[in-house]
Amino acid sequence: MIALLVAAGLALAGCSAADPAPEPAKEQRTSLTVGVVGSLTSFNAASATGDTAANRAVSALLDEKLGSLDGNLQVVPNNGLGRITRVEGDPLTVSYELFSDRVWSDGTPVTLDDLLFGWAVTSHFFDDATYDANGQLVSGTRYFDTALPADPNARTTRPRLDRANDTLTLTYDQPFADWNRQWLLDRPVHVVAQRAGVSVKDLLTAILTVPEGDPQAPVAPNPVLAAAAQAWNTGFDVAPGTTPDPAGVVSSGPWTVSEITADTLQLARRDSYQGAHFPGLEGLTVRFFPDRAAQLSALEAGTVDVANVGDLDVAEQKTLTDAGFTVQVGPTSETLQLRFATTTASDLRQATTLSLDRSSLVQDVLGAVRPNAQPLQSFLSSPATGQLYNDLVSGNGAPGTGADVNAARSALNDRAAVLRVAYDTTDPTSSLVFPRIVSMAAKAGIAVRAATATEIPDATLSWVGEDESLYRSARDRIAEGIDGGDTQELFDDLTTHTDPVDVLSEAKLIDRSLFAAYAGVPLLERTGAVVSAAGVGGVTYTSEPNGLPPAFWTWSPPQS
């Protein structure tokens, strides 16, 4: 009996199901898709026609330079490509060193010749153009049509080349605060020469020998420089309805363009890249959308992994977070300020400033999306610049953030006043802020009303795109409205500083001068949002409106 049971057991064992086969390993993702609003119109985002948010996003991926901006818009040196060194302060002398084994994506070495060409583009050294009050060319030649105008404080002598040590040296005509933001590396000189129909040798010879331009004595344009400028100005543009050959897109960064369609750009990691920004991803897709609504829809549909979506409202933010997205919200460099006209009486400027409860205004307008938002405390910068802003507002003379109605009435000797304000009625934020200014100022006897089209306004409520550079931000702000008695003199001093600590100290004094003169009222900054899909790593916030989130080389795909 026992033998029969054993036999039966053996028979049953022989009929039992085999162990299940192991599940095939899931394929790991090696790429991400980033969504950008706009269309690709040029591979030269530094040109006047190519300077769009979409083109700048592509440039941030393809065009490696000797520096970049972090999420707080501060300069980060790219020590994987070379070095920029301030050799001497007076005269300001700056050297550029390139590492010898760096190559463009087509295999051509990146050399001092590329830096020399970049200097020719950005310096406008050869221009002898004269312009009218509207900025239109009157006489002479403007060679390279850059998006940023030539800065009069950035003039240098012709560069000196030391090929034995791979260095290019610039000597400035005068000290220049923004010397560390002059990165020079631009379009590859060999590609520009080819598209211009000139030799690289002839182009470099022209850059090294053609005399400096003099608007007082314009001459016939140099044909080699003119051909190169034309190629630079428009030769990298993408004509509507056309698809460029990916092989013609030469990059200095770690990506090469593998495919281009009407609304996508496929990037592949290139093994020849030797810099410090080698990405963890093997590929990256840039998808272009006609508007922000389409970009948000693609995020929600799961076809985009990373995007800078700008100023979210409460409902949009909740939809994304409920769907598992990481939403990083913060300040941007775009600030809303009330700036008084030069003709506005000082007592009215003072009274209006004292009448505004900026704390409650900021909470009313921004609190739902960004509860930690605080009133803006500088004319020259914003929280978008991180620690730089914190250092600036410490001791810059910024007033309190609440209202002092009694002091406002005293400034006017208790008389009634009218303040005519110009503002953009189509802008949602301005339309929220303006009636609050009306209500607050009324408590001090100031009747604030919108200026008509035929009136000269007493003040303007406007968005200002503050720059990450305190030098440029101060320059642009001083050009608007009323200034303090010594503001221009302080700015002239700021331009001569080449140490960031000294620039910051001078910027504090400029803020003090503007606040003391009641030149205006900084109010708030626009909110931004960077969104990434669940599991996507390494994506950080950027304060640049519509900017590509920084440090793409740290991004990683979801792990299954």
Side-chain angles (χ1 to χ4, degrees), residues 138-180:
V138 174
S139 64
T141 302
R142 173 183 170 88
Y143 287 97
F144 297 97
D145 194 13
T146 56
L148 293 177
D151 195 309
N153 293 314
R155 300 290 294 182
T156 74
T157 59
R158 206 184 308 262
R160 301 192 306 275
L161 302 181
D162 182 349
R163 296 192 183 276
N165 294 306
D166 280 325
T167 59
L168 176 150
T169 302
L170 292 179
T171 300
Y172 283 79
D173 293 356
Q174 59 185 7
F176 179 49
D178 267 5
W179 63 268
N180 66 334

Side-chain angles (χ1 to χ4, degrees), residues 356-556:
L356 300 183
D357 184 348
R358 296 186 297 139
S359 289
S360 64
L361 187 152
V362 168
Q363 280 305 303
D364 288 348
V365 177
L366 300 180
V369 173
R370 192 151 53 93
N372 60 346
Q374 298 294 322
L376 192 62
Q377 291 289 80
S378 171
F379 289 96
L380 308 184
S381 186
S382 75
T385 60
Q387 189 58 45
L388 175 68
Y389 173 78
N390 295 334
D391 292 340
L392 176 62
V393 300
S394 174
N396 72 334
T401 59
D404 189 339
V405 175
N406 290 333
R409 287 185 174 278
S410 295
L412 289 170
N413 291 321
D414 281 325
R415 76 176 190 278
V418 175
L419 185 78
R420 298 162 298 180
V421 177
Y423 76 102
D424 181 3
T425 57
T426 66
D427 175 62
T429 304
S430 298
S431 296
L432 289 173
V433 168
F434 180 73
R436 286 168 171 78
I437 292 177
V438 172
S439 176
M440 292 173 184
K443 297 176 181 177
I446 304 169
V448 174
R449 65 172 177 82
T452 67
T454 58
E455 289 179 321
I456 298 175
D458 304 305
T460 302
L461 181 64
S462 61
W463 288 101
V464 180
E466 300 296 356
D467 201 282
E468 80 282 353
S469 155
L470 284 177
Y471 156 75
R472 288 200 297 264
S473 186
R475 178 196 62 193
D476 296 344
R477 291 305 290 150
I478 291 171
E480 303 175 13
I482 194 167
D483 294 329
D486 59 349
T487 307
Q488 185 60 57
E489 179 182 342
L490 292 169
F491 173 72
D492 292 341
D493 291 341
L494 181 147
T495 64
T496 66
H497 293 305
T498 60
D499 188 318
V501 173
D502 296 330
V503 172
L504 176 66
S505 297
E506 204 73 39
K508 286 188 181 187
L509 295 177
I510 292 174
D511 255 349
R512 277 186 167 277
S513 176
L514 294 172
F515 280 123
Y518 295 101
V521 187
L523 297 171
L524 50 85
E525 68 281 349
R526 199 183 292 280
T527 298
V530 169
V531 179
S532 51
V536 173
V539 177
T540 56
Y541 179 76
T542 178
S543 297
E544 180 186 357
N546 304 313
L548 188 81
F552 60 80
W553 50 92
T554 67
W555 297 358
S556 62

Side-chain angles (χ1 to χ4, degrees), residues 152-452:
N153 293 314
R155 300 290 294 182
T156 74
T157 59
R158 206 184 308 262
R160 301 192 306 275
L161 302 181
D162 182 349
R163 296 192 183 276
N165 294 306
D166 280 325
T167 59
L168 176 150
T169 302
L170 292 179
T171 300
Y172 283 79
D173 293 356
Q174 59 185 7
F176 179 49
D178 267 5
W179 63 268
N180 66 334
R181 290 175 171 80
Q182 313 304 302
W183 296 330
L184 299 193
L185 191 63
D186 195 86
R187 298 296 86 209
V189 68
H190 67 284
V191 175
V192 172
Q194 183 270 328
R195 296 186 182 187
V198 302
S199 71
V200 171
K201 180 180 179 181
D202 286 348
L203 177 52
L204 297 176
T205 299
I207 294 172
L208 290 171
T209 59
V210 171
E212 181 176 5
D214 181 1
Q216 303 303 316
V219 298
N222 178 273
V224 174
L225 284 177
Q230 183 60 35
W232 187 91
N233 292 340
T234 61
F236 296 89
D237 291 352
V238 178
T242 65
T243 302
D245 179 4
V249 183
V250 179
S251 69
S252 53
W255 301 110
T256 184
V257 178
S258 59
E259 184 180 350
I260 305 174
T261 67
D263 60 359
T264 62
L265 190 69
Q266 297 281 356
L267 306 179
R269 191 173 64 192
R270 66 178 177 105
D271 294 334
S272 61
Y273 174 77
Q274 296 295 321
H277 298 155
F278 195 80
L281 300 169
E282 293 181 7
L284 189 66
T285 300
V286 183
R287 283 195 61 190
F288 301 98
F289 298 95
D291 51 42
R292 181 173 173 274
Q295 181 193 42
L296 282 172
S297 295
L299 272 168
E300 294 169 9
T303 57
V304 166
D305 301 301
V306 179
N308 183 345
V309 299
D311 201 348
L312 287 173
D313 61 31
V314 175
E316 291 169 336
Q317 186 177 17
K318 185 176 187 304
T319 297
L320 290 168
T321 54
D322 287 350
F325 289 91
T326 298
V327 181
Q328 300 179 68
V329 175
T332 74
S333 58
E334 196 173 5
T335 64
L336 187 65
Q337 304 190 17
L338 183 69
R339 193 68 192 267
F340 296 115
T342 55
T343 54
T344 305
S346 60
D347 55 357
L348 180 55
R349 301 197 309 267
Q350 180 180 5
T352 303
T353 302
L354 293 169
S355 73
L356 300 183
D357 184 348
R358 296 186 297 139
S359 289
S360 64
L361 187 152
V362 168
Q363 280 305 303
D364 288 348
V365 177
L366 300 180
V369 173
R370 192 151 53 93
N372 60 346
Q374 298 294 322
L376 192 62
Q377 291 289 80
S378 171
F379 289 96
L380 308 184
S381 186
S382 75
T385 60
Q387 189 58 45
L388 175 68
Y389 173 78
N390 295 334
D391 292 340
L392 176 62
V393 300
S394 174
N396 72 334
T401 59
D404 189 339
V405 175
N406 290 333
R409 287 185 174 278
S410 295
L412 289 170
N413 291 321
D414 281 325
R415 76 176 190 278
V418 175
L419 185 78
R420 298 162 298 180
V421 177
Y423 76 102
D424 181 3
T425 57
T426 66
D427 175 62
T429 304
S430 298
S431 296
L432 289 173
V433 168
F434 180 73
R436 286 168 171 78
I437 292 177
V438 172
S439 176
M440 292 173 184
K443 297 176 181 177
I446 304 169
V448 174
R449 65 172 177 82
T452 67

Side-chain angles (χ1 to χ4, degrees), residues 99-122:
F99 298 149
S100 58
D101 56 352
R102 304 311 187 244
V103 297
W104 297 96
S105 59
D106 65 357
T108 305
V110 180
T111 70
L112 296 184
D113 295 339
D114 294 297
L115 291 186
L116 180 65
F117 175 71
W119 168 83
V121 171
T122 57

Side-chain angles (χ1 to χ4, degrees), residues 82-104:
R83 298 185 186 91
I84 302 177
T85 305
R86 186 183 63 168
V87 177
E88 191 175 346
D90 190 13
L92 175 61
T93 308
V94 179
S95 74
Y96 293 76
E97 176 188 1
L98 280 177
F99 298 149
S100 58
D101 56 352
R102 304 311 187 244
V103 297
W104 297 96

